[in-house]
Amino acid sequence: MLGVFKNGLVSAPKELNSPSSSFHQHEEDQDQHPLKHFLKSYTNAFSISFGNDVSLAFDPSSQVPLPQQRLFCSMDDIYCIFLGGLNNLCTLNKQYGLTKVANEPMFVIQAYKTLRDRGPYPAHSVLKELDGSFGFILYDVKSKTVFVSLGANGEVKLFWGIAADGSVVISDNLVAIKSSCSKSFAPFPTGCMYHTEGGLISFEHPKKKMKAISRVDSEGVMCGATFKVDMYSKTQTMPRVGSEANWVTWGV
């Protein structure tokens, strides 16, 4: 799966940008665009774009055994690509009023809508309830909101990086990430979520700050930093104001 986000929809931490990247080389080679590379790598893949802001791509033929199955769903102008599987999906569907046949991305969309519109709980409380291996990218067209999360057990891998034109690229395809982001990429941190309003946060330790860890590749070149929970820190809490604050005050 692949998500390409422009125009500040995803504000990646500055530490993800490597000082060693030679972006001008990628600007001259249009084949290195992440979407083009992804579609070239998977002959059965399809993509959907929303103006110049967002592109999503998905390969429906890549339905390998769990925990790496890939699923796509769209509902009410919300699009979700899901990688992995949830062991307690039936229980979650019942809890959120979905039918037994609803799959993982259907559940993620419904959970997102509940939190966005009237959720009594912060997002990290919902993500902690997910039992399984998962990673997903969600885009809400109407609110131009991006929501990304990766499970804590490490069985599913996601990567994110900054492309030549400043776009943020998120994918499980490391080759597509490297070709478009040069050295400005890193693994997406496990047990974490990213939201357009709230930024990067650990859903396991929502009251702790994330800290950047310098990363050097096998050639000794500085790459984009990885991010881990700073267990000795504590985020500042903010008062809730209305239902929209469910997304802003992650750890409250």
Side-chain angles (χ1 to χ4, degrees):
M1 64 179 178
L2 174 75
V4 183
F5 306 97
K6 299 181 179 180
N7 299 328
L9 284 177
V10 175
S11 298
K14 64 181 185 298
E15 295 88 350
L16 192 61
N17 200 344
S18 168
S20 304
S21 291
S22 300
F23 281 149
H24 66 277
Q25 296 178 359
H26 300 294
E27 291 174 337
E28 296 172 357
D29 187 355
Q30 294 301 314
D31 289 336
Q32 299 304 318
H33 188 280
L35 180 59
K36 290 184 178 180
H37 184 95
F38 187 90
L39 295 177
K40 187 176 180 180
S41 300
Y42 301 102
T43 56
N44 294 321
F46 69 88
S47 66
I48 181 170
S49 296
F50 307 92
N52 296 320
D53 294 335
V54 176
S55 294
L56 300 176
F58 171 72
D59 178 21
S61 65
S62 185
Q63 299 296 335
V64 296
L66 291 175
Q68 299 294 318
Q69 70 170 343
R70 292 163 171 82
L71 301 169
F72 173 82
C73 179
S74 65
M75 184 189 311
D76 299 330
D77 285 328
I78 303 172
Y79 295 78
C80 180
I81 306 175
F82 189 98
L83 176 62
L86 298 177
N87 301 323
N88 59 339
L89 180 61
C90 292
T91 301
L92 293 169
N93 284 342
K94 183 177 181 180
Q95 180 180 343
Y96 284 83
L98 295 171
T99 65
K100 294 181 179 180
V101 297
N103 61 18
E104 281 88 347
M106 292 179 183
F107 159 74
V108 170
I109 290 176
Q110 184 60 38
Y112 165 82
K113 289 172 61 180
T114 301
L115 286 165
R116 181 196 63 185
D117 300 336
R118 59 184 185 279
Y121 305 111
H124 66 79
S125 296
V126 176
L127 293 174
K128 283 182 179 179
E129 296 177 351
L130 308 188
D131 177 19
S133 303
F134 67 90
F136 64 80
I137 300 173
L138 179 147
Y139 179 59
D140 184 341
V141 177
K142 292 181 179 178
S143 65
K144 291 190 174 182
T145 296
V146 179
F147 183 32
V148 182
S149 186
L150 181 64
N153 64 14
E155 293 186 9
V156 172
K157 308 291 185 183
L158 282 182
F159 304 89
W160 62 340
I162 302 174
D165 61 357
S167 301
V168 175
V169 185
I170 303 173
S171 180
D172 64 321
N173 186 319
L174 182 57
V175 176
I177 290 283
K178 286 184 175 181
S179 67
S180 58
C181 301
S182 186
K183 302 295 183 180
S184 292
F185 78 94
F188 191 90
T190 57
C192 289
M193 57 186 177
Y194 177 91
H195 185 270
T196 298
E197 297 295 334
L200 180 67
I201 190 173
S202 167
F203 64 75
E204 292 189 304
H205 307 281
K207 294 185 181 295
K208 303 295 182 181
K209 295 180 179 180
M210 302 294 295
K211 64 178 179 180
I213 307 296
S214 299
R215 189 169 64 96
V216 178
D217 66 10
S218 58
E219 300 174 347
V221 179
M222 185 71 72
C223 299
T226 57
F227 294 86
K228 295 185 178 181
V229 177
D230 184 353
M231 298 304 296
Y232 299 99
S233 69
K234 187 175 183 180
T235 59
Q236 294 182 350
T237 59
M238 298 173 61
R240 285 178 186 264
V241 180
S243 60
E244 293 182 359
N246 288 324
W247 290 112
V248 179
T249 55
W250 294 88
V252 176

